[in-house]
């Protein structure tokens, strides 16, 4: 249960990218009615992020506790996993979230009316991608659940925009499982990439994805 604009949720999403973990995101923007009450019924309060690990039955609030849990259960070598000291981690996350300020407020913070899709959408993304942020913000505003396929960079040859990267490095594109899938299926490694399982529509480009979400789900 996540709010895109929350610096505490961002910390968790960063670690999910670093650990290459997929997650079902249930957006809980301010004024939302789709998942906030559900989260409260499960955990007893509307506090975000809220993590549920269905395989173990674990329910956790507090980004620091969630990060510790994810590292302990998923990192190949937990003792070598390092983050900034907590105050710096929160401060840098807050500054990054503030960069999303818009003329009408913080993007990805407040709910907009929408219809729920028949099935969860699938988004290939990674936390620091500037092209993916607007898409995740709109998904949050519209309270649209989605499966986040984390597609972080797996090697130095992944650095830079796709066109620049592919021309300069000409390295292997399949440096992580999801990057390999993108290279083999749609044919290029680029995020964001949205798949609407219900309609069969799939697309790159953040502006096109946002326009599609508004057309199909916004009220």
């Amino acid at each position: 249960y996540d709010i895109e604009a929350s610096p505490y949720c961002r910390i968790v999403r960063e670690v999910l990218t670093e650990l290459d973990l997929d997650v079902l995101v249930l957006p809980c923007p301010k004024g939302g009615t789709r998942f906030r009450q559900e989260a409260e019924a499960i955990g007893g309060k509307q506090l975000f992020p809220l993590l549920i690990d269905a395989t173990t039955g674990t329910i956790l609030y507090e980004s620091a506790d969630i990060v510790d849990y994810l590292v302990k259960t998923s990192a190949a070598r937990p003792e070598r996993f390092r983050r900034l000291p907590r105050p710096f981690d929160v401060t840098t996350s807050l500054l990054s979230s503030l960069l999303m300020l818009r003329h009408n407020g913080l993007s990805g913070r407040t709910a907009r009316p929408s219809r729920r899709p028949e099935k969860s959408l699938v988004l290939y993304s990674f936390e620091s991608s500037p092209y993916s942020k607007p898409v995740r913000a709109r998904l949050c505003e519209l309270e649209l659940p989605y499966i986040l396929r984390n597609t972080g960079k797996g090697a130095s040859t992944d650095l830079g925009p796709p066109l620049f990267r592919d021309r300069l490095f000409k390295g292997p594109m399949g440096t992580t499982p999801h990057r390999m899938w993108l290279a083999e299926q749609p044919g290029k490694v680029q995020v964001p990439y949205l798949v609407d399982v219900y309609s069969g529509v799939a697309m790159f480009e953040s502006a096109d994805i946002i326009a599609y979400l508004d057309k199909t789900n916004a009220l």
Side-chain angles (χ1 to χ4, degrees):
Y1 294 82
D2 171 85
I3 302 174
E4 177 64 28
S6 163
Y8 302 101
C9 292
R10 177 189 168 86
I11 289 172
V12 173
R13 295 195 306 268
E14 285 178 340
V15 173
L16 288 167
T17 291
E18 292 168 13
L19 294 176
D20 204 27
L21 297 177
D22 292 350
V23 63
L24 171 62
V25 177
L26 303 177
C28 299
K30 182 179 179 181
T33 59
R34 193 162 289 157
F35 298 116
R36 291 180 72 95
Q37 288 78 10
E38 180 181 307
E40 184 176 8
I42 292 171
K45 51 187 173 181
Q46 291 189 19
L47 180 67
F48 308 100
L50 167 63
L51 176 78
I52 299 175
D53 185 344
T55 61
T56 63
T58 300
I59 299 174
L60 286 172
Y61 289 108
E62 302 297 342
S63 59
D65 294 338
I66 293 173
V67 167
D68 288 345
Y69 175 80
L70 292 174
V71 171
K72 180 180 178 180
T73 57
S74 301
R77 301 184 67 177
E79 71 280 0
R80 299 188 65 179
F81 193 90
R82 295 288 183 268
R83 297 282 297 179
L84 291 171
R86 178 69 175 171
F88 293 101
D89 206 7
V90 172
T91 299
T92 55
S93 183
L94 177 60
L95 291 174
S96 297
S97 297
L98 288 174
L99 291 176
M100 297 175 63
L101 278 171
R102 298 292 188 268
H103 70 279
N104 60 343
L106 197 58
S107 179
R109 182 180 180 86
T110 305
R112 300 185 181 189
S114 70
R115 62 174 64 88
R116 184 169 180 171
E118 295 291 335
K119 296 183 179 180
S120 292
L121 302 163
V122 178
L123 181 69
Y124 290 78
S125 165
F126 60 90
E127 177 55 33
S128 62
S129 165
Y131 306 104
S132 299
K133 286 180 181 298
V135 172
R136 294 198 311 266
R138 187 55 53 87
L139 286 165
C140 186
E141 292 167 350
L142 296 176
E143 298 182 272
L144 302 181
Y146 62 98
I147 299 170
L148 175 59
R149 304 285 193 206
N150 271 301
T151 317
K153 298 177 185 294
S156 59
T157 53
D158 292 332
L159 297 176
L163 184 61
F164 172 82
R165 174 198 68 208
D166 296 342
R167 286 183 176 178
L168 180 65
F169 295 115
K170 301 185 183 300
M173 292 188 290
T175 56
T176 67
H178 291 324
R179 295 178 81 86
M180 181 179 295
W181 185 88
L182 287 171
E184 293 176 351
Q185 296 302 319
K188 61 179 177 178
V189 180
Q190 178 179 317
V191 296
Y193 183 66
L194 181 82
V195 179
D196 186 336
V197 178
Y198 182 73
S199 67
V201 170
M203 62 179 66
F204 293 103
E205 302 298 341
S206 55
D208 293 340
I209 294 173
I210 290 172
Y212 175 78
L213 295 174
D214 287 347
K215 180 180 179 181
T216 56
N217 296 102
L219 296 175

